[in-house]
Amino acid sequence: MRITRHPLVDQDIAALVDHIVEVTGGDFEAAGRRLDEVDDLVADISANPMSGVRLAPPLDGWLVRHGGRGHRLAVVFRADLAQDCVFVALVAFGGQDWMKEGETRKAFGG
């Protein structure tokens, strides 16, 4: 299944790396491990795109899946089986308010 990411997902990932590097005192390897966890979670979503927690309004139609060490990563997405595509709206880490952020990213592609 093809993955289409919201244009702001790159900013999410850059912010995640910046945060980890900052709180670890410059441990880029720790940031790299989290990026691997993001990649693994997105691959899992692609392999099983209808699995996740279904979200209530205003994010109805979208799902969230948590993963990574400590389940601290969250990916908000929706699958369009007709287009063979998973739309990834955002990647969040830790205590981010991904519900509020997700509301601003519902309308993109597909």
Side-chain angles (χ1 to χ4, degrees):
M1 188 156 275
R2 180 173 49 92
I3 300 292
T4 299
R5 300 186 315 177
H6 189 280
L8 295 176
V9 167
D10 288 340
Q11 290 179 20
D12 297 341
I13 292 171
L16 183 150
V17 168
D18 289 346
H19 172 74
I20 292 171
V21 169
E22 181 180 324
V23 300
T24 61
D27 188 348
F28 287 93
E29 289 180 11
R33 288 189 298 273
R34 277 297 182 184
L35 291 178
D36 290 342
E37 292 174 357
V38 170
D39 290 343
D40 291 345
L41 183 54
V42 171
D44 288 347
I45 290 168
S46 178
N48 194 359
M50 301 310 289
S51 177
V53 175
R54 305 221 179 314
L55 299 173
L59 294 174
D60 51 322
W62 292 83
L63 296 95
V64 65
R65 181 114 45 108
H66 297 278
R69 191 186 49 194
H71 283 50
R72 295 185 47 112
L73 295 172
V75 175
V76 175
F77 66 97
R78 81 177 157 82
D80 185 329
L81 299 179
Q83 292 187 45
D84 194 37
C85 186
V86 173
F87 295 94
V88 175
L90 68 92
V91 175
F93 178 70
Q96 287 180 275
D97 186 356
W98 53 264
M99 289 285 291
K100 184 164 182 63
E101 187 68 29
E103 291 180 45
T104 67
R105 300 197 190 177
K106 289 181 359 178
F108 77 100

mmCIF file of all heavy atoms in Angstrom, residues 35-83:
data_model
loop_
_atom_site.group_PDB
_atom_site.id
_atom_site.type_symbol
_atom_site.label_atom_id
_atom_site.label_comp_id
_atom_site.label_asym_id
_atom_site.label_seq_id
_atom_site.Cartn_x
_atom_site.Cartn_y
_atom_site.Cartn_z
ATOM 1 N N LEU A 35 13.646 7.307 14.987
ATOM 2 C CA LEU A 35 13.260 7.383 13.571
ATOM 3 C C LEU A 35 13.021 5.991 12.997
ATOM 4 O O LEU A 35 12.085 5.793 12.210
ATOM 5 C CB LEU A 35 14.323 8.123 12.765
ATOM 6 C CG LEU A 35 14.450 9.614 13.048
ATOM 7 C CD1 LEU A 35 15.581 10.211 12.222
ATOM 8 C CD2 LEU A 35 13.144 10.334 12.784
ATOM 9 N N ASP A 36 13.851 5.026 13.401
ATOM 10 C CA ASP A 36 13.628 3.645 12.974
ATOM 11 C C ASP A 36 12.279 3.137 13.478
ATOM 12 O O ASP A 36 11.564 2.425 12.765
ATOM 13 C CB ASP A 36 14.741 2.724 13.485
ATOM 14 C CG ASP A 36 16.076 2.969 12.787
ATOM 15 O OD1 ASP A 36 16.089 3.593 11.698
ATOM 16 O OD2 ASP A 36 17.107 2.523 13.337
ATOM 17 N N GLU A 37 11.921 3.520 14.704
ATOM 18 C CA GLU A 37 10.633 3.117 15.262
ATOM 19 C C GLU A 37 9.473 3.741 14.474
ATOM 20 O O GLU A 37 8.447 3.085 14.264
ATOM 21 C CB GLU A 37 10.533 3.502 16.734
ATOM 22 C CG GLU A 37 11.474 2.710 17.623
ATOM 23 C CD GLU A 37 11.476 3.189 19.062
ATOM 24 O OE1 GLU A 37 10.780 4.191 19.386
ATOM 25 O OE2 GLU A 37 12.173 2.558 19.879
ATOM 26 N N VAL A 38 9.643 4.988 14.047
ATOM 27 C CA VAL A 38 8.618 5.634 13.217
ATOM 28 C C VAL A 38 8.467 4.855 11.912
ATOM 29 O O VAL A 38 7.346 4.523 11.496
ATOM 30 C CB VAL A 38 8.960 7.117 12.934
ATOM 31 C CG1 VAL A 38 8.026 7.695 11.866
ATOM 32 C CG2 VAL A 38 8.903 7.948 14.198
ATOM 33 N N ASP A 39 9.589 4.548 11.270
ATOM 34 C CA ASP A 39 9.546 3.787 10.013
ATOM 35 C C ASP A 39 8.870 2.435 10.211
ATOM 36 O O ASP A 39 8.053 2.011 9.380
ATOM 37 C CB ASP A 39 10.953 3.582 9.456
ATOM 38 C CG ASP A 39 11.588 4.849 8.936
ATOM 39 O OD1 ASP A 39 10.871 5.841 8.697
ATOM 40 O OD2 ASP A 39 12.832 4.850 8.770
ATOM 41 N N ASP A 40 9.195 1.751 11.307
ATOM 42 C CA ASP A 40 8.596 0.439 11.585
ATOM 43 C C ASP A 40 7.089 0.562 11.800
ATOM 44 O O ASP A 40 6.317 -0.261 11.304
ATOM 45 C CB ASP A 40 9.235 -0.205 12.819
ATOM 46 C CG ASP A 40 10.681 -0.625 12.595
ATOM 47 O OD1 ASP A 40 11.124 -0.686 11.423
ATOM 48 O OD2 ASP A 40 11.373 -0.883 13.610
ATOM 49 N N LEU A 41 6.674 1.597 12.526
ATOM 50 C CA LEU A 41 5.249 1.785 12.785
ATOM 51 C C LEU A 41 4.492 2.086 11.493
ATOM 52 O O LEU A 41 3.423 1.514 11.244
ATOM 53 C CB LEU A 41 5.044 2.902 13.820
ATOM 54 C CG LEU A 41 3.610 3.183 14.258
ATOM 55 C CD1 LEU A 41 2.912 1.929 14.768
ATOM 56 C CD2 LEU A 41 3.610 4.277 15.331
ATOM 57 N N VAL A 42 5.044 2.932 10.656
ATOM 58 C CA VAL A 42 4.390 3.245 9.377
ATOM 59 C C VAL A 42 4.342 1.993 8.489
ATOM 60 O O VAL A 42 3.330 1.745 7.819
ATOM 61 C CB VAL A 42 5.084 4.436 8.678
ATOM 62 C CG1 VAL A 42 4.559 4.623 7.260
ATOM 63 C CG2 VAL A 42 4.872 5.712 9.487
ATOM 64 N N ALA A 43 5.383 1.184 8.508
ATOM 65 C CA ALA A 43 5.375 -0.073 7.734
ATOM 66 C C ALA A 43 4.296 -1.018 8.262
ATOM 67 O O ALA A 43 3.589 -1.665 7.472
ATOM 68 C CB ALA A 43 6.745 -0.740 7.791
ATOM 69 N N ASP A 44 4.140 -1.093 9.577
ATOM 70 C CA ASP A 44 3.086 -1.918 10.166
ATOM 71 C C ASP A 44 1.709 -1.420 9.746
ATOM 72 O O ASP A 44 0.813 -2.216 9.457
ATOM 73 C CB ASP A 44 3.182 -1.928 11.694
ATOM 74 C CG ASP A 44 4.355 -2.731 12.217
ATOM 75 O OD1 ASP A 44 4.973 -3.500 11.435
ATOM 76 O OD2 ASP A 44 4.673 -2.587 13.419
ATOM 77 N N ILE A 45 1.547 -0.103 9.732
ATOM 78 C CA ILE A 45 0.272 0.484 9.310
ATOM 79 C C ILE A 45 -0.008 0.146 7.852
ATOM 80 O O ILE A 45 -1.113 -0.242 7.492
ATOM 81 C CB ILE A 45 0.270 2.010 9.549
ATOM 82 C CG1 ILE A 45 0.221 2.297 11.056
ATOM 83 C CG2 ILE A 45 -0.891 2.684 8.814
ATOM 84 C CD1 ILE A 45 0.510 3.744 11.420
ATOM 85 N N SER A 46 1.008 0.254 7.017
ATOM 86 C CA SER A 46 0.850 -0.052 5.602
ATOM 87 C C SER A 46 0.449 -1.511 5.392
ATOM 88 O O SER A 46 -0.366 -1.822 4.524
ATOM 89 C CB SER A 46 2.152 0.249 4.859
ATOM 90 O OG SER A 46 2.031 -0.073 3.497
ATOM 91 N N ALA A 47 1.005 -2.407 6.211
ATOM 92 C CA ALA A 47 0.699 -3.830 6.088
ATOM 93 C C ALA A 47 -0.702 -4.169 6.594
ATOM 94 O O ALA A 47 -1.303 -5.148 6.143
ATOM 95 C CB ALA A 47 1.743 -4.648 6.850
ATOM 96 N N ASN A 48 -1.223 -3.372 7.509
ATOM 97 C CA ASN A 48 -2.542 -3.628 8.080
ATOM 98 C C ASN A 48 -3.254 -2.288 8.305
ATOM 99 O O ASN A 48 -3.422 -1.848 9.445
ATOM 100 C CB ASN A 48 -2.407 -4.414 9.387
ATOM 101 C CG ASN A 48 -3.717 -4.994 9.846
ATOM 102 O OD1 ASN A 48 -4.751 -4.807 9.207
ATOM 103 N ND2 ASN A 48 -3.683 -5.681 10.963
ATOM 104 N N PRO A 49 -3.665 -1.645 7.211
ATOM 105 C CA PRO A 49 -4.132 -0.257 7.284
ATOM 106 C C PRO A 49 -5.507 -0.047 7.922
ATOM 107 O O PRO A 49 -5.894 1.084 8.173
ATOM 108 C CB PRO A 49 -4.152 0.178 5.827
ATOM 109 C CG PRO A 49 -4.376 -1.085 5.076
ATOM 110 C CD PRO A 49 -3.636 -2.140 5.848
ATOM 111 N N MET A 50 -6.218 -1.110 8.198
ATOM 112 C CA MET A 50 -7.536 -0.939 8.811
ATOM 113 C C MET A 50 -7.482 -1.167 10.325
ATOM 114 O O MET A 50 -8.501 -1.114 10.997
ATOM 115 C CB MET A 50 -8.556 -1.876 8.167
ATOM 116 C CG MET A 50 -8.706 -1.646 6.661
ATOM 117 S SD MET A 50 -8.981 0.075 6.180
ATOM 118 C CE MET A 50 -10.634 0.317 6.758
ATOM 119 N N SER A 51 -6.283 -1.386 10.839
ATOM 120 C CA SER A 51 -6.109 -1.625 12.265
ATOM 121 C C SER A 51 -5.631 -0.356 12.957
ATOM 122 O O SER A 51 -4.669 0.273 12.520
ATOM 123 C CB SER A 51 -5.080 -2.745 12.478
ATOM 124 O OG SER A 51 -4.848 -2.939 13.851
ATOM 125 N N GLY A 52 -6.317 -0.008 14.017
ATOM 126 C CA GLY A 52 -5.970 1.174 14.789
ATOM 127 C C GLY A 52 -7.178 1.594 15.594
ATOM 128 O O GLY A 52 -8.260 1.006 15.467
ATOM 129 N N VAL A 53 -7.008 2.575 16.419
ATOM 130 C CA VAL A 53 -8.116 3.093 17.212
ATOM 131 C C VAL A 53 -8.873 4.096 16.355
ATOM 132 O O VAL A 53 -8.299 5.079 15.875
ATOM 133 C CB VAL A 53 -7.603 3.754 18.513
ATOM 134 C CG1 VAL A 53 -8.754 4.392 19.279
ATOM 135 C CG2 VAL A 53 -6.871 2.743 19.375
ATOM 136 N N ARG A 54 -10.146 3.833 16.164
ATOM 137 C CA ARG A 54 -10.983 4.732 15.382
ATOM 138 C C ARG A 54 -11.275 5.982 16.203
ATOM 139 O O ARG A 54 -11.617 5.898 17.372
ATOM 140 C CB ARG A 54 -12.286 4.040 15.010
ATOM 141 C CG ARG A 54 -11.968 2.733 14.282
ATOM 142 C CD ARG A 54 -12.768 2.377 13.157
ATOM 143 N NE ARG A 54 -12.496 1.162 12.430
ATOM 144 C CZ ARG A 54 -11.354 0.678 12.006
ATOM 145 N NH1 ARG A 54 -10.265 1.266 12.301
ATOM 146 N NH2 ARG A 54 -11.261 -0.401 11.284
ATOM 147 N N LEU A 55 -11.112 7.114 15.566
ATOM 148 C CA LEU A 55 -11.247 8.375 16.274
ATOM 149 C C LEU A 55 -12.657 8.946 16.136
ATOM 150 O O LEU A 55 -13.321 8.763 15.113
ATOM 151 C CB LEU A 55 -10.212 9.374 15.761
ATOM 152 C CG LEU A 55 -8.759 8.924 15.974
ATOM 153 C CD1 LEU A 55 -7.794 9.882 15.290
ATOM 154 C CD2 LEU A 55 -8.444 8.796 17.451
ATOM 155 N N ALA A 56 -13.071 9.630 17.167
ATOM 156 C CA ALA A 56 -14.387 10.271 17.202
ATOM 157 C C ALA A 56 -14.296 11.647 16.543
ATOM 158 O O ALA A 56 -13.201 12.168 16.314
ATOM 159 C CB ALA A 56 -14.831 10.409 18.659
ATOM 160 N N PRO A 57 -15.455 12.244 16.251
ATOM 161 C CA PRO A 57 -15.431 13.602 15.699
ATOM 162 C C PRO A 57 -14.640 14.532 16.609
ATOM 163 O O PRO A 57 -14.666 14.349 17.820
ATOM 164 C CB PRO A 57 -16.912 13.994 15.666
ATOM 165 C CG PRO A 57 -17.645 12.689 15.584
ATOM 166 C CD PRO A 57 -16.807 11.726 16.381
ATOM 167 N N PRO A 58 -13.937 15.436 16.072
ATOM 168 C CA PRO A 58 -13.923 15.865 14.672
ATOM 169 C C PRO A 58 -12.966 15.070 13.785
ATOM 170 O O PRO A 58 -12.779 15.405 12.630
ATOM 171 C CB PRO A 58 -13.461 17.314 14.778
ATOM 172 C CG PRO A 58 -12.552 17.328 15.944
ATOM 173 C CD PRO A 58 -13.143 16.333 16.911
ATOM 174 N N LEU A 59 -12.370 13.993 14.299
ATOM 175 C CA LEU A 59 -11.429 13.194 13.503
ATOM 176 C C LEU A 59 -12.046 11.875 13.042
ATOM 177 O O LEU A 59 -11.324 10.928 12.745
ATOM 178 C CB LEU A 59 -10.153 12.925 14.301
ATOM 179 C CG LEU A 59 -9.310 14.152 14.620
ATOM 180 C CD1 LEU A 59 -8.147 13.795 15.535
ATOM 181 C CD2 LEU A 59 -8.792 14.792 13.349
ATOM 182 N N ASP A 60 -13.367 11.820 12.969
ATOM 183 C CA ASP A 60 -13.999 10.591 12.521
ATOM 184 C C ASP A 60 -13.522 10.248 11.111
ATOM 185 O O ASP A 60 -13.296 11.112 10.286
ATOM 186 C CB ASP A 60 -15.525 10.687 12.596
ATOM 187 C CG ASP A 60 -16.093 11.918 11.924
ATOM 188 O OD1 ASP A 60 -15.467 12.984 12.037
ATOM 189 O OD2 ASP A 60 -17.154 11.812 11.293
ATOM 190 N N GLY A 61 -13.347 8.961 10.880
ATOM 191 C CA GLY A 61 -12.805 8.491 9.611
ATOM 192 C C GLY A 61 -11.304 8.285 9.664
ATOM 193 O O GLY A 61 -10.719 7.694 8.768
ATOM 194 N N TRP A 62 -10.657 8.771 10.709
ATOM 195 C CA TRP A 62 -9.216 8.631 10.892
ATOM 196 C C TRP A 62 -8.949 7.627 12.001
ATOM 197 O O TRP A 62 -9.806 7.353 12.827
ATOM 198 C CB TRP A 62 -8.589 9.986 11.240
ATOM 199 C CG TRP A 62 -8.661 10.936 10.087
ATOM 200 C CD1 TRP A 62 -9.721 11.719 9.744
ATOM 201 C CD2 TRP A 62 -7.661 11.172 9.109
ATOM 202 N NE1 TRP A 62 -9.432 12.444 8.605
ATOM 203 C CE2 TRP A 62 -8.167 12.122 8.203
ATOM 204 C CE3 TRP A 62 -6.375 10.673 8.913
ATOM 205 C CZ2 TRP A 62 -7.435 12.579 7.107
ATOM 206 C CZ3 TRP A 62 -5.647 11.137 7.828
ATOM 207 C CH2 TRP A 62 -6.172 12.075 6.934
ATOM 208 N N LEU A 63 -7.747 7.076 11.999
ATOM 209 C CA LEU A 63 -7.330 6.133 13.023
ATOM 210 C C LEU A 63 -6.025 6.612 13.628
ATOM 211 O O LEU A 63 -5.301 7.410 13.006
ATOM 212 C CB LEU A 63 -7.113 4.738 12.419
ATOM 213 C CG LEU A 63 -8.332 4.053 11.848
ATOM 214 C CD1 LEU A 63 -8.422 4.301 10.356
ATOM 215 C CD2 LEU A 63 -8.251 2.572 12.100
ATOM 216 N N VAL A 64 -5.709 6.104 14.806
ATOM 217 C CA VAL A 64 -4.413 6.361 15.417
ATOM 218 C C VAL A 64 -3.821 5.022 15.819
ATOM 219 O O VAL A 64 -4.537 4.103 16.223
ATOM 220 C CB VAL A 64 -4.495 7.312 16.627
ATOM 221 C CG1 VAL A 64 -5.278 6.699 17.782
ATOM 222 C CG2 VAL A 64 -3.097 7.727 17.092
ATOM 223 N N ARG A 65 -2.534 4.912 15.645
ATOM 224 C CA ARG A 65 -1.820 3.731 16.109
ATOM 225 C C ARG A 65 -0.621 4.227 16.900
ATOM 226 O O ARG A 65 0.080 5.148 16.486
ATOM 227 C CB ARG A 65 -1.383 2.892 14.916
ATOM 228 C CG ARG A 65 -0.659 1.635 15.269
ATOM 229 C CD ARG A 65 -1.355 0.314 14.940
ATOM 230 N NE ARG A 65 -1.975 0.160 13.676
ATOM 231 C CZ ARG A 65 -1.515 -0.617 12.688
ATOM 232 N NH1 ARG A 65 -0.373 -1.253 12.794
ATOM 233 N NH2 ARG A 65 -2.203 -0.753 11.586
ATOM 234 N N HIS A 66 -0.406 3.622 18.054
ATOM 235 C CA HIS A 66 0.723 3.950 18.916
ATOM 236 C C HIS A 66 1.770 2.858 18.778
ATOM 237 O O HIS A 66 1.449 1.693 18.562
ATOM 238 C CB HIS A 66 0.277 4.063 20.377
ATOM 239 C CG HIS A 66 -0.689 5.167 20.603
ATOM 240 N ND1 HIS A 66 -0.293 6.474 20.770
ATOM 241 C CD2 HIS A 66 -2.043 5.183 20.647
ATOM 242 C CE1 HIS A 66 -1.354 7.236 20.927
ATOM 243 N NE2 HIS A 66 -2.436 6.476 20.849
ATOM 244 N N GLY A 67 3.027 3.247 18.922
ATOM 245 C CA GLY A 67 4.097 2.262 18.807
ATOM 246 C C GLY A 67 5.407 2.806 19.322
ATOM 247 O O GLY A 67 5.463 3.862 19.947
ATOM 248 N N GLY A 68 6.457 2.074 19.013
ATOM 249 C CA GLY A 68 7.781 2.438 19.500
ATOM 250 C C GLY A 68 7.951 2.041 20.954
ATOM 251 O O GLY A 68 7.015 1.573 21.600
ATOM 252 N N ARG A 69 9.144 2.228 21.442
ATOM 253 C CA ARG A 69 9.443 1.907 22.830
ATOM 254 C C ARG A 69 8.550 2.735 23.745
ATOM 255 O O ARG A 69 8.450 3.952 23.607
ATOM 256 C CB ARG A 69 10.910 2.180 23.117
ATOM 257 C CG ARG A 69 11.390 1.629 24.450
ATOM 258 C CD ARG A 69 12.772 2.066 24.717
ATOM 259 N NE ARG A 69 12.728 3.513 24.471
ATOM 260 C CZ ARG A 69 13.766 4.296 24.329
ATOM 261 N NH1 ARG A 69 14.936 3.830 24.388
ATOM 262 N NH2 ARG A 69 13.636 5.580 24.112
ATOM 263 N N GLY A 70 7.876 2.067 24.651
ATOM 264 C CA GLY A 70 6.974 2.749 25.560
ATOM 265 C C GLY A 70 5.691 3.234 24.905
ATOM 266 O O GLY A 70 4.929 3.968 25.524
ATOM 267 N N HIS A 71 5.452 2.838 23.675
ATOM 268 C CA HIS A 71 4.275 3.285 22.910
ATOM 269 C C HIS A 71 4.135 4.801 22.950
ATOM 270 O O HIS A 71 3.044 5.344 23.058
ATOM 271 C CB HIS A 71 3.008 2.605 23.422
ATOM 272 C CG HIS A 71 2.887 1.197 22.954
ATOM 273 N ND1 HIS A 71 3.902 0.280 23.063
ATOM 274 C CD2 HIS A 71 1.869 0.542 22.367
ATOM 275 C CE1 HIS A 71 3.525 -0.865 22.569
ATOM 276 N NE2 HIS A 71 2.291 -0.737 22.131
ATOM 277 N N ARG A 72 5.257 5.496 22.845
ATOM 278 C CA ARG A 72 5.255 6.959 22.928
ATOM 279 C C ARG A 72 5.052 7.631 21.577
ATOM 280 O O ARG A 72 4.877 8.841 21.505
ATOM 281 C CB ARG A 72 6.542 7.437 23.582
ATOM 282 C CG ARG A 72 6.625 6.967 25.039
ATOM 283 C CD ARG A 72 7.817 7.536 25.728
ATOM 284 N NE ARG A 72 7.930 8.951 25.472
ATOM 285 C CZ ARG A 72 7.767 9.904 26.382
ATOM 286 N NH1 ARG A 72 7.506 9.594 27.612
ATOM 287 N NH2 ARG A 72 7.892 11.179 26.063
ATOM 288 N N LEU A 73 5.086 6.863 20.508
ATOM 289 C CA LEU A 73 4.831 7.416 19.172
ATOM 290 C C LEU A 73 3.356 7.269 18.837
ATOM 291 O O LEU A 73 2.719 6.277 19.214
ATOM 292 C CB LEU A 73 5.639 6.671 18.120
ATOM 293 C CG LEU A 73 7.155 6.785 18.207
ATOM 294 C CD1 LEU A 73 7.800 5.822 17.218
ATOM 295 C CD2 LEU A 73 7.605 8.204 17.950
ATOM 296 N N ALA A 74 2.822 8.235 18.124
ATOM 297 C CA ALA A 74 1.446 8.158 17.627
ATOM 298 C C ALA A 74 1.449 8.565 16.160
ATOM 299 O O ALA A 74 2.068 9.568 15.791
ATOM 300 C CB ALA A 74 0.525 9.079 18.420
ATOM 301 N N VAL A 75 0.774 7.772 15.350
ATOM 302 C CA VAL A 75 0.602 8.096 13.938
ATOM 303 C C VAL A 75 -0.892 8.152 13.666
ATOM 304 O O VAL A 75 -1.621 7.188 13.940
ATOM 305 C CB VAL A 75 1.284 7.056 13.023
ATOM 306 C CG1 VAL A 75 0.984 7.339 11.553
ATOM 307 C CG2 VAL A 75 2.789 7.035 13.259
ATOM 308 N N VAL A 76 -1.356 9.284 13.157
ATOM 309 C CA VAL A 76 -2.758 9.461 12.785
ATOM 310 C C VAL A 76 -2.832 9.283 11.268
ATOM 311 O O VAL A 76 -2.067 9.906 10.525
ATOM 312 C CB VAL A 76 -3.286 10.848 13.217
ATOM 313 C CG1 VAL A 76 -4.708 11.062 12.719
ATOM 314 C CG2 VAL A 76 -3.213 10.989 14.730
ATOM 315 N N PHE A 77 -3.773 8.433 10.825
ATOM 316 C CA PHE A 77 -3.828 8.070 9.410
ATOM 317 C C PHE A 77 -5.232 7.634 9.024
ATOM 318 O O PHE A 77 -6.098 7.423 9.874
ATOM 319 C CB PHE A 77 -2.843 6.922 9.138
ATOM 320 C CG PHE A 77 -3.222 5.636 9.836
ATOM 321 C CD1 PHE A 77 -3.921 4.651 9.164
ATOM 322 C CD2 PHE A 77 -2.898 5.428 11.169
ATOM 323 C CE1 PHE A 77 -4.288 3.478 9.803
ATOM 324 C CE2 PHE A 77 -3.249 4.265 11.819
ATOM 325 C CZ PHE A 77 -3.945 3.278 11.131
ATOM 326 N N ARG A 78 -5.420 7.505 7.726
ATOM 327 C CA ARG A 78 -6.623 6.863 7.200
ATOM 328 C C ARG A 78 -6.233 6.122 5.938
ATOM 329 O O ARG A 78 -5.328 6.543 5.210
ATOM 330 C CB ARG A 78 -7.760 7.850 6.974
ATOM 331 C CG ARG A 78 -7.698 8.639 5.727
ATOM 332 C CD ARG A 78 -8.933 9.546 5.563
ATOM 333 N NE ARG A 78 -8.582 10.628 4.676
ATOM 334 C CZ ARG A 78 -8.590 10.530 3.350
ATOM 335 N NH1 ARG A 78 -8.939 9.419 2.766
ATOM 336 N NH2 ARG A 78 -8.233 11.556 2.607
ATOM 337 N N ALA A 79 -6.913 5.037 5.707
ATOM 338 C CA ALA A 79 -6.641 4.226 4.520
ATOM 339 C C ALA A 79 -7.734 4.454 3.486
ATOM 340 O O ALA A 79 -8.906 4.602 3.827
ATOM 341 C CB ALA A 79 -6.582 2.750 4.896
ATOM 342 N N ASP A 80 -7.320 4.501 2.246
ATOM 343 C CA ASP A 80 -8.254 4.540 1.132
ATOM 344 C C ASP A 80 -7.953 3.299 0.291
ATOM 345 O O ASP A 80 -6.998 3.296 -0.498
ATOM 346 C CB ASP A 80 -8.078 5.821 0.317
ATOM 347 C CG ASP A 80 -9.109 5.957 -0.788
ATOM 348 O OD1 ASP A 80 -9.553 4.919 -1.330
ATOM 349 O OD2 ASP A 80 -9.468 7.094 -1.105
ATOM 350 N N LEU A 81 -8.724 2.247 0.525
ATOM 351 C CA LEU A 81 -8.459 0.981 -0.143
ATOM 352 C C LEU A 81 -8.628 1.081 -1.655
ATOM 353 O O LEU A 81 -7.903 0.436 -2.408
ATOM 354 C CB LEU A 81 -9.346 -0.118 0.438
ATOM 355 C CG LEU A 81 -9.146 -0.400 1.932
ATOM 356 C CD1 LEU A 81 -10.090 -1.495 2.404
ATOM 357 C CD2 LEU A 81 -7.697 -0.741 2.240
ATOM 358 N N ALA A 82 -9.576 1.910 -2.099
ATOM 359 C CA ALA A 82 -9.797 2.077 -3.540
ATOM 360 C C ALA A 82 -8.571 2.669 -4.226
ATOM 361 O O ALA A 82 -8.274 2.340 -5.373
ATOM 362 C CB ALA A 82 -11.024 2.950 -3.784
ATOM 363 N N GLN A 83 -7.855 3.556 -3.512
ATOM 364 C CA GLN A 83 -6.640 4.167 -4.077
ATOM 365 C C GLN A 83 -5.380 3.401 -3.689
ATOM 366 O O GLN A 83 -4.291 3.792 -4.081
ATOM 367 C CB GLN A 83 -6.500 5.611 -3.585
ATOM 368 C CG GLN A 83 -7.538 6.545 -4.118
ATOM 369 C CD GLN A 83 -7.225 7.978 -3.722
ATOM 370 O OE1 GLN A 83 -6.090 8.439 -3.811
ATOM 371 N NE2 GLN A 83 -8.244 8.695 -3.273
#
